[in-house]
Amino acid sequence: MLKKLRKIFKYVKPYNKTLIFIICGFLVGQICALFLPNFMADIVDVGIRQSGIENASPEAMSVYTHNLLSLFMDDNEKKIVNESYEFVDLKNQDGKEEVQPDKRFRIFIEKYPKVIEKEIYVLKSEFYNSKKALNSLNNIFLKCISRLFKYLNNKGQSKEFVLQNKNEFYVDLDSLYEAVSDFQHITPEKLKELDEQSSTNFDIHQAAAAFNKQVYLDLEMDVSKIQRNYIIKIGLIMLAITAVSLALTVSESYFLSKMSAGILMNLRKDIFYKVESFSQKEFDKIETSSLITRTINDVGQMKETIMSGVLIFIPPVMFVGGMIMAVNKCISLSWTILLGAVVSSLIIFIVLILVLPKMELMQKLLDKFNLVIRERLSGIMVTNAFGNIKLEETRFDNINVELSEISSYVNKLILRVSPILIVTMNFLSLLIIWLGSSQIAKAKLQIGDLMAFVQYSSMVIGAFLTLVMMLFSIPHALISINRILEVLDLEPSVKDAKICKTFNENFKGEICFKNVSFTYGKEENSVLKNINFSAEKGQVVSIIGATGSGKSTLVSLIPRFYDVTSGEILIDGINIKQVSQEELRKKVTYVPQKNILFTGDMEYNLRYGNKDVDAEKLNKCIEICRISDFLDADKGLKRKVSQEGKDFSGGQKQKICIARALLRNTPIYIFDDSFSSMDFLNDFIIRKNMSEITKNSLVILVSQRICTVMNSDKIIVLDKGEILAEGTHEELLERCKVYKEIAISQAAEEMNI
């Protein structure tokens, strides 16, 4: 599997820089997304419930507050706190005058209005720049306030000083200040005893914020401003993260789409070029309808495979990162995430087991469907002529219904996965909220943290499901990969030699068949057997024989549409296998039995073999092939040619194809029954006229008409893949029974037999 994926992902190499940019961008975007629930939790817990007060250590406090809290600190903690705060005394200054010219003290007055009346302690500025020092100080105040609340609870006095309702606090500071004398007897041993007491019915962070809020109100600080500033700050951070994440997601999606489109373009190009190198033998192995499906549908499927392969590492990052963040919020609820992941994976696993075999069958049915459509459209005249419209409709309906039923089955299963997973995740959220509510009631979890945990659980399960879907999509992708690689790995049976020879400048165009045999399949079913003949420059060599005698196969060996099974074909003494196909086909012009015209106009089709031909030669070939007989008086050569030239008769198409061949002016011309759709007069006139152009070339004619071949320099009679005889028309009439029978059957009296 890895080998096959490696073959496909080699198409990603030209986009290495883009790929690195995409990967880094998506990683940064996903990391940004991981932080958003955390900030949302801070807005709920700190911004709303704690009034924006994020630190347990107050930025300023009155002397009364300092003295109260000092009673619940040990000596080391008191020392640290005293070193951390600056004592400010402005109460003896005249408030009506500009009390202190120092800007710093004016800020104190604006921020703490009661500083004029009270002595206060203000946190030193260096603590705002040191997160480590501030956290250490916060821990001291958390312990201190925890001891205070525990002490009041143990004494049964908490209701006198603290109003607690559903984890909401109100602290009566004035009453606590009055009761300071009751706390004077607290010893260091009592503090240790309070620290060891683990059972609390309150959240210490909420308690500290409630306490500090009253401390700030006591100093007449603008608490609402603190809350507003905090929410705005966190909100702006979230907006910035969201903007960065959005910009990265949009840009990465754009570049990923552009990259995948480029990869698919190159993949389709390689398939197309590979198919162009195929001989007819490869087309016998893989049908045209299947090649179309592989080039369009299977290559289209590769887009999802490439995107999954490029981004497959992102879900693990989200899974691990989300799990870490969720565990940090509440480790006791982490098992619920694993439960959701297991249940969701089980659902996907069951669905994929049911779907994947049907998807493989769909690809095969799509090949058959395309085949039926191609045959129906290309054979519409035959169908109508035989009155088999109902038969073809039944044939189409059978394959269409079968494909529709399987598609419906697959789509129903896939469409049901999404709502089932949504319901599963909603039930998981309900379970988390139900279990989390009891944790909140026990003050073991905050509301914001629970909300963040729910979001992280969705991220983790979503990432897990994405990863599972990516992994399980690989078997489906392998179906398409196998079909694509079957084309790309198929070696053409007709290949150039490693070291190619070149024809001499004085190219003569002499062809020699030496013991040539050919078979399409098993050797016992040989189409050609021991073919030996030669043809020289300036000759007209014709090949005639009954239907199925191998005429077309024989001439198709010359431009190497097939390679001989045994023997060799020499042109100017060089084995054609030793010459590159490109050089060989520059010397040979082949006009096949089936007349192929391309969509465009007549001039485009005529110039198809030689775009640089001058107007004089073009007009000359038009006259030789009597194309002017059906040229539009107004549009001339600009007359449009419909798909496959359906707006021309068989004879008209043959005339255009012969003119197109003559414009190439090559040393060798092969006309494979190219005059069969013309009337005898046009056949005779065109062959006579074109001799002016082909007089110095070797012309090989394949025909079943005696009148077409009778004037040839050499006529070869084929029967069941073997040469019965060769010679001129008169010679063959005398000594070849088969040729004579063909001649007699074609109005012998008109040929003076």
Side-chain angles (χ1 to χ4, degrees):
M1 182 181 73
L2 290 175
K3 186 178 179 181
K4 292 177 180 178
L5 289 174
R6 197 158 46 240
K7 284 184 178 180
I8 294 297
F9 276 98
K10 74 177 183 179
Y11 289 92
V12 181
K13 286 184 179 179
Y15 300 91
N16 281 340
K17 292 181 180 179
T18 304
L19 181 60
I20 293 171
F21 176 74
I22 289 169
I23 292 172
C24 293
F26 270 113
L27 281 175
V28 172
Q30 297 304 314
I31 291 171
C32 288
L34 283 172
F35 283 103
L36 287 176
N38 216 21
F39 285 115
M40 182 270 297
D42 289 341
I43 286 179
V44 173
D45 291 333
V46 179
I48 298 174
R49 301 189 68 223
Q50 295 179 197
S51 301
I53 301 171
E54 50 186 323
N55 294 312
S57 50
E59 62 174 276
M61 57 182 170
S62 66
V63 172
Y64 300 110
T65 305
H66 178 270
N67 294 338
L68 171 64
L69 295 177
S70 296
L71 295 174
F72 292 90
M73 298 179 187
D74 58 30
D75 293 338
N76 185 49
E77 291 169 345
K78 289 178 184 178
K79 180 182 178 183
I80 294 173
V81 169
N82 289 333
E83 291 174 353
S84 305
Y85 282 85
E86 177 183 3
F87 180 71
V88 179
D89 181 11
L90 300 179
K91 67 177 182 176
N92 295 322
Q93 300 294 330
D94 184 359
K96 294 182 181 179
E97 299 176 1
E98 187 178 348
V99 285
Q100 287 282 355
D102 193 329
K103 180 180 177 182
R104 179 166 169 269
F105 284 96
R106 273 186 274 132
I107 292 174
F108 281 164
I109 296 170
E110 291 174 4
K111 200 168 184 180
Y112 319 116
K114 282 290 184 178
V115 73
I116 300 297
E117 302 176 7
K118 295 182 178 182
E119 299 169 344
I120 66 171
Y121 287 89
V122 178
L123 188 63
K124 293 180 179 179
S125 59
E126 56 262 27
F127 278 83
Y128 293 105
N129 301 321
S130 175
K131 190 173 182 180
K132 183 178 179 180
L134 187 59
N135 287 337
S136 176
L137 193 60
N138 283 337
N139 289 332
I140 293 174
F141 277 95
L142 283 173
K143 284 183 180 180
C144 175
I145 294 172
S146 176
R147 292 165 185 164
L148 170 62
F149 276 73
K150 288 177 182 178
Y151 180 83
L152 294 175
N153 191 52
N154 292 341
K155 293 292 183 178
Q157 296 177 318
S158 60
K159 293 183 180 180
E160 297 178 18
F161 305 104
V162 180
L163 175 63
Q164 182 179 353
N165 182 23
K166 295 183 179 180
N167 218 21
E168 297 292 338
F169 292 89
Y170 170 75
V171 180
D172 187 353
L173 275 183
D174 292 334
S175 299
L176 282 173
Y177 292 157
E178 293 175 2
V180 166
S181 57
D182 297 336
F183 309 140
Q184 297 290 343
H185 61 280
I186 296 177
T187 61
E189 290 74 18
K190 183 64 176 177
L191 294 179
K192 289 183 180 180
E193 183 182 332
L194 291 172
D195 287 338
E196 293 171 359
Q197 183 181 334
S198 58
S199 59
T200 58
N201 59 349
F202 59 88
D203 187 302
I204 186 59
H205 294 278
Q206 293 291 324
F211 186 88
N212 285 339
K213 181 178 180 179
Q214 297 304 315
V215 170
Y216 294 157
L217 290 173
D218 185 49
L219 297 176
E220 294 186 357
M221 291 174 62
D222 190 350
V223 176
S224 62
K225 184 178 180 181
I226 295 174
Q227 183 177 32
R228 184 169 60 253
N229 289 343
Y230 181 83
I231 293 175
I232 290 173
K233 181 184 75 173
I234 300 298
L236 289 174
I237 293 173
M238 292 181 72
L239 284 174
I241 291 175
T242 304
V244 171
S245 180
L246 178 62
L248 287 172
T249 302
V250 170
S251 60
E252 304 314 318
S253 298
Y254 169 77
F255 284 111
L256 182 57
S257 298
K258 191 172 181 180
M259 183 186 77
S260 59
I263 291 170
L264 297 188
M265 180 189 71
N266 292 332
L267 189 57
R268 281 192 294 266
K269 182 177 71 175
D270 284 357
I271 293 174
F272 182 78
Y273 289 168
K274 186 72 174 184
V275 171
E276 280 197 316
S277 71
F278 286 169
S279 67
Q280 191 60 43
K281 196 170 184 179
E282 283 69 59
F283 285 105
D284 294 338
K285 289 183 180 179
I286 305 177
E287 295 178 347
T288 304
S289 57
S290 180
L291 286 172
I292 293 172
T293 306
R294 295 170 198 235
T295 307
I296 298 173
N297 294 72
D298 289 317
V299 170
Q301 175 63 35
M302 295 311 301
K303 182 176 181 180
E304 301 299 326
T305 306
I306 292 168
M307 294 180 76
S308 298
V310 171
L311 303 177
I312 197 169
F313 57 88
I314 291 178
V317 171
M318 286 297 291
F319 181 85
V320 174
M323 201 68 191
I324 292 172
M325 301 293 274
V327 168
N328 285 338
K329 290 299 178 185
C330 184
I331 192 171
S332 61
L333 294 178
S334 300
W335 64 271
T336 57
I337 299 178
L338 296 177
L339 175 65
V342 170
V343 172
S344 301
S345 300
L346 186 61
I347 294 169
I348 293 175
F349 183 76
I350 293 171
V351 170
L352 288 175
I353 285 178
L354 297 172
V355 163
L356 286 177
K358 299 293 183 182
M359 286 183 170
E360 185 174 3
L361 181 59
M362 274 179 63
Q363 295 296 103
K364 295 178 180 178
L365 285 175
L366 198 56
D367 287 346
K368 292 182 180 179
F369 183 80
N370 285 338
L371 178 61
V372 170
I373 291 292
R374 282 175 57 83
E375 289 182 348
R376 178 70 182 94
L377 295 177
S378 60
I380 190 167
M381 293 180 67
V382 177
T383 301
N384 293 339
F386 283 91
N388 281 334
I389 295 175
K390 291 293 182 183
L391 177 64
E392 289 299 323
E393 287 178 352
T394 302
R395 185 182 173 207
F396 173 80
D397 287 341
N398 289 339
I399 187 69
N400 190 34
V401 168
E402 188 177 1
L403 182 60
S404 177
E405 287 177 351
I406 293 177
S407 299
S408 177
Y409 174 82
V410 170
N411 290 333
K412 283 179 182 177
L413 282 176
I414 292 175
L415 290 173
R416 286 172 182 168
V417 171
S418 182
I420 291 173
L421 291 178
I422 290 172
V423 170
T424 302
M425 294 182 71
N426 286 337
F427 272 112
L428 177 66
S429 298
L430 287 174
L431 177 63
I432 293 172
I433 292 171
W434 179 60
L435 295 173
S437 61
S438 62
Q439 302 256 16
I440 292 172
K442 296 175 184 177
K444 294 181 179 179
L445 184 67
Q446 295 196 61
I447 295 173
D449 288 343
L450 177 61
M451 294 170 66
F453 187 89
V454 171
Q455 289 195 33
Y456 283 127
S457 66
S458 299
M459 286 184 178
V460 170
I461 295 174
F464 184 78
L465 294 179
T466 303
L467 180 61
V468 171
M469 289 296 289
M470 284 181 175
L471 293 175
F472 276 104
S473 67
I474 290 177
H476 183 206
L478 281 177
I479 297 170
S480 295
I481 290 174
N482 284 332
R483 287 162 58 84
I484 291 171
L485 292 180
E486 188 179 349
V487 177
L488 294 176
D489 293 341
L490 184 60
E491 288 297 325
S493 57
V494 178
K495 294 187 290 186
D496 291 336
K498 291 183 178 179
I499 301 175
C500 293
K501 294 183 178 180
T502 57
F503 291 118
N504 296 326
E505 292 183 5
N506 299 322
F507 184 79
K508 298 178 181 179
E510 297 176 350
I511 295 178
C512 181
F513 277 65
K514 288 187 176 181
N515 300 318
V516 171
S517 295
F518 178 77
T519 176
Y520 287 107
K522 298 180 180 178
E523 292 186 7
E524 57 267 24
N525 298 324
S526 294
V527 179
L528 299 173
K529 303 172 187 175
N530 298 320
I531 302 296
N532 289 277
F533 75 89
S534 60
E536 299 178 358
K537 176 182 178 181
Q539 284 187 329
V540 176
V541 178
S542 295
I543 302 172
I544 194 169
T547 302
S549 58
K551 303 185 298 297
S552 295
T553 301
L554 188 149
V555 294
S556 67
L557 296 176
I558 298 172
R560 292 190 71 192
F561 297 146
Y562 296 97
D563 268 343
V564 299
T565 305
S566 63
E568 59 181 354
I569 301 173
L570 306 177
I571 296 182
D572 283 5
I574 301 175
N575 191 325
I576 59 173
K577 287 186 177 181
Q578 297 176 333
V579 181
S580 69
Q581 295 175 63
E582 183 180 1
E583 183 172 0
L584 173 64
R585 290 167 188 171
K586 284 180 180 179
K587 304 294 185 182
V588 179
T589 296
Y590 176 83
V591 183
Q593 279 182 311
K594 186 177 180 182
N595 304 297
I596 303 296
L597 296 182
F598 300 98
T599 305
D601 55 35
M602 288 182 64
E603 185 176 3
Y604 170 77
N605 278 274
L606 288 168
R607 290 181 178 273
Y608 190 79
N610 186 358
K611 295 179 181 178
D612 300 325
V613 67
D614 56 62
E616 183 181 350
K617 189 172 182 179
L618 178 63
N619 291 327
K620 185 176 181 180
C621 286
I622 288 172
E623 291 302 321
I624 288 173
C625 296
R626 308 191 75 180
I627 293 174
S628 55
D629 294 348
F630 56 91
L631 276 179
D632 190 293
D634 297 325
K635 296 181 179 178
L637 292 179
K638 297 301 179 182
R639 176 183 170 180
K640 295 296 181 183
V641 177
S642 64
Q643 184 179 1
E644 297 182 0
K646 291 180 179 178
D647 49 349
F648 292 94
S649 69
Q652 289 173 337
K653 286 194 284 187
Q654 283 191 334
K655 290 179 180 181
I656 296 173
C657 290
I658 292 168
R660 180 171 64 192
L662 294 175
L663 286 169
R664 289 196 71 198
N665 194 24
T666 53
I668 300 172
Y669 288 94
I670 300 172
F671 297 95
D672 186 3
D673 210 7
S674 305
F675 300 87
S676 58
S677 296
M678 298 182 201
D679 57 79
F680 291 107
L681 179 60
N682 277 294
D683 180 357
F684 174 75
I685 293 174
I686 291 174
R687 282 189 295 106
K688 182 180 178 182
N689 291 342
M690 75 180 195
S691 61
E692 184 181 346
I693 294 178
T694 61
K695 61 184 178 182
N696 294 320
S697 300
L698 168 61
V699 177
I700 299 176
L701 289 173
V702 173
S703 180
Q704 297 189 50
R705 289 180 179 178
I706 292 293
C707 65
T708 302
V709 304
M710 60 186 298
N711 295 319
S712 301
D713 299 309
K714 182 188 291 186
I715 301 172
I716 297 171
V717 182
L718 277 183
D719 184 51
K720 296 181 181 178
E722 296 180 292
I723 295 179
L724 287 182
E726 61 177 275
T728 63
H729 172 66
E730 290 76 13
E731 291 171 348
L732 292 174
L733 284 175
E734 292 179 4
R735 57 186 174 85
C736 182
K737 182 180 177 181
V738 172
Y739 184 81
K740 187 173 183 178
E741 288 175 351
I742 295 172
I744 292 172
S745 69
Q746 296 181 13
E749 66 279 2
E750 294 182 9
M751 301 177 190
N752 301 317
I753 297 177

